[in-house]
């Protein structure tokens, strides 16, 4: 009888323990996105353009203590980020409006969705020529060799500039090169002009290049946040990316109140004088604050206008409906204010 009683007590104790553990498990499911991601040892692979601005930015702002792993890679253009995403090598990347249009034409739709918009400035998006060049305007580019980066903002704004100058794409000798190779070709005299952006334009000016046209008023300032289809479908990765988006916005807020510190980090990484980096940051934030917001009908319409431009000149073989590769999977945690 005593043994039977002890057995009953043992079973009751085990049953109570199971109930307690189940209760703890229920609480875990209500944890923050970061905690939920950590439980599964989640990794998100982030593509960056030009230099490691996201990695270094979160580190400088003290926001790199993510409870999930982040693996960073640097690419010369947003088009390359989306190529890597299509190959299953990247989960997250911010590009201009142009690369997703072309990436969506790949097999399987490119394996990505645009989930949000990073508002940013449109500075350092220019057509430049070497110092002493006889070329003084876009109209003078007729018959000249012009380096550009295919399927990027450089491709788009060069098309728009030529159109405004009364020229067609066929009127120039367009040379498709990467940002780095395009800059080298301009400096060495292998091309007559360069249509590019970011560090390539900053470096060109350090080599005394002259701006003949700026895309400041051509581009929308919408930079698209792209996430792989596989990451959207994976609930743990989706939670980690939602948390990561919030950290990027926190970094942007930090950078505006630490411009000198961020300028020094930027200057060191991009090999430019800190005064120049500071001026670029100040002018950029004055034009438009950097922040990530939810997608809207307006931002989708803006990219549709870009796609229609490429279709009109025959760069795209068929019309593209951009809304087919946009998703609201992350909209709930982001501001919708323009």
């Amino acid at each position: 009888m005593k043994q039977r009683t002890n057995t009953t007590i043992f079973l009751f104790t085990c049953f109570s323990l199971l109930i307690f553990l189940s209760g703890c498990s229920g609480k875990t499911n209500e944890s923050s996105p970061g905690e939920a991601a950590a439980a599964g040892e989640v990794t998100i692979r982030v593509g960056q353009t030009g230099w490691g601005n996201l990695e270094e930015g979160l580190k400088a702002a003290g926001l790199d203590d993510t409870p999930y792993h982040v693996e960073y890679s640097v690419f010369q253009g947003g088009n390359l980020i989306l190529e890597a995403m299509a190959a299953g090598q990247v989960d997250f990347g911010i590009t201009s409006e142009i690369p997703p249009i072309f990436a969506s034409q790949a097999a399987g739709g490119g394996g990505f969705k645009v989930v949000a918009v990073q508002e940013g400035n449109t500075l350092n998006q220019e057509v430049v020529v070497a110092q002493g060049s006889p070329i003084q305007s876009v109209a003078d580019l007729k018959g000249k060799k012009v380096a550009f980066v295919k399927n990027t903002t450089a491709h788009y704004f060069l098309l728009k500039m030529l159109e405004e100058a009364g020229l067609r794409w066929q009127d120039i000798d367009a040379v498709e090169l990467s940002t780095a190779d395009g800059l080298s070709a301009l400096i060495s005299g292998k091309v007559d002009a360069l249509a590019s952006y970011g560090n390539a334009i900053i470096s060109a000016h350090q080599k005394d290049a002259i701006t003949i046209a700026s895309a400041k008023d051509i581009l929308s300032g919408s930079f698209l946040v792209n996430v792989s289809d596989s990451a959207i479908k994976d609930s743990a990765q989706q939670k980690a990316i939602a948390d990561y988006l919030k950290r990027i916005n926190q970094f942007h807020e930090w950078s505006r109140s630490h411009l000198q510190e961020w300028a020094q980090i930027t200057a060191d990484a991009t090999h430019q004088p800190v005064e120049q980096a500071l001026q670029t940051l100040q002018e950029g934030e004055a034009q438009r604050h950097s922040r990530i917001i939810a997608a809207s009908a307006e931002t989708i319409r803006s990219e549709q206008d870009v796609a229609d431009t490429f279709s009109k000149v025959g760069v795209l073989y068929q019309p593209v409906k951009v809304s087919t590769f946009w998703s609201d999977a992350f909209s709930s945690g982001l501001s919708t204010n323009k």
Side-chain angles (χ1 to χ4, degrees):
M1 181 70 178
K2 184 176 181 181
Q3 183 176 355
R4 193 172 179 183
T5 302
N6 288 341
T7 301
T8 302
I9 292 172
F10 174 76
L11 291 172
F12 178 79
T13 302
C14 289
F15 181 70
S16 300
L17 183 59
L18 283 172
I19 293 175
F20 174 76
L21 291 175
S22 297
C24 290
S25 176
K27 290 179 182 178
T28 301
N29 290 338
E30 297 175 358
S31 61
S32 69
E35 291 170 338
E41 288 295 305
V42 172
T43 296
I44 56 174
R45 298 163 299 175
V46 175
Q48 308 163 99
T49 52
W51 65 286
N53 60 313
L54 292 175
E55 181 178 11
E56 296 303 321
L58 266 60
K59 185 186 300 182
L63 296 164
D64 61 333
D65 57 339
T66 57
Y68 42 86
H69 301 295
V70 184
E71 294 179 357
Y72 291 96
S73 300
V74 175
F75 299 83
Q76 287 194 16
N79 55 328
L80 300 179
I81 289 180
L82 291 185
E83 285 180 15
M85 195 171 289
Q89 302 301 310
V90 170
D91 303 306
F92 178 102
I94 300 175
T95 71
S96 73
E97 293 174 299
I98 289 83
I101 294 170
F102 291 91
S104 70
Q105 303 304 289
F112 77 100
K113 293 293 183 293
V114 177
V115 302
V117 177
Q118 177 168 277
E119 294 183 314
N121 71 75
T122 56
L123 307 181
N124 293 319
Q125 305 254 4
E126 304 175 359
V127 176
V128 296
V129 297
Q131 187 180 46
S133 170
I135 299 172
Q136 298 183 355
S137 68
V138 174
D140 295 334
L141 293 177
K142 186 172 183 178
K144 299 295 192 293
K145 288 186 177 180
V146 183
F148 76 106
V149 191
K150 186 179 180 180
N151 301 350
T152 66
T153 53
H155 195 168
Y156 173 67
F157 70 67
L158 182 57
L159 274 169
K160 298 294 284 185
M161 289 172 178
L162 291 170
E163 183 181 16
E164 290 173 4
L167 298 178
R168 300 169 304 157
W169 187 257
Q170 294 82 359
D171 290 329
I172 65 170
D173 183 1
V175 183
E176 179 188 328
L177 293 172
S178 67
T179 52
D181 290 342
L183 176 61
S184 297
L186 179 71
I187 293 170
S188 64
K190 293 180 180 178
V191 297
D192 302 297
L194 168 67
S196 195
Y197 46 79
N199 294 334
I201 293 300
I202 291 171
S203 297
H205 286 305
Q206 289 174 341
K207 302 291 185 180
D208 299 320
I210 307 298
T211 301
I212 63 167
S214 169
K216 180 172 68 72
D217 298 323
I218 294 176
L219 302 174
S220 67
S222 292
F223 296 86
L224 307 187
V225 180
N226 307 274
V227 174
S228 67
D229 288 340
S230 59
I232 293 175
K233 292 175 184 175
D234 186 299
S235 60
Q237 277 192 309
Q238 187 182 105
K239 289 175 182 177
I241 290 171
D243 177 75
Y244 189 73
L245 288 170
K246 292 176 182 177
R247 288 173 188 260
I248 295 175
N249 270 339
Q250 290 171 340
F251 153 65
H252 286 316
E253 292 175 5
W254 174 88
S255 68
R256 283 188 279 275
S257 58
H258 296 78
L259 276 178
Q260 186 68 48
E261 183 177 346
W262 183 233
Q264 184 65 63
I265 294 170
T266 302
D268 291 343
T270 56
H271 310 292
Q272 60 176 302
V274 66
E275 296 80 9
Q276 180 175 300
L278 179 60
Q279 181 180 352
T280 300
L281 289 171
Q282 289 172 329
E283 291 177 350
E285 287 299 316
Q287 186 199 46
R288 186 178 291 106
H289 275 359
S290 298
R291 61 173 185 155
I292 292 178
I293 62 172
S296 67
E298 182 181 345
T299 52
I300 294 174
R301 186 164 50 249
S302 173
E303 193 191 24
Q304 186 63 59
D305 288 341
V306 176
D308 292 345
T309 295
F310 280 113
S311 294
K312 186 172 67 174
V313 297
V315 175
L316 287 169
Y317 297 115
Q318 58 185 2
V320 173
K321 188 176 181 180
V322 304
S323 59
T324 60
F325 53 82
W326 284 65
S327 167
D328 61 357
F330 297 89
S331 296
S332 61
L334 296 171
S335 168
T336 57
N337 297 326
K338 281 295 287 178

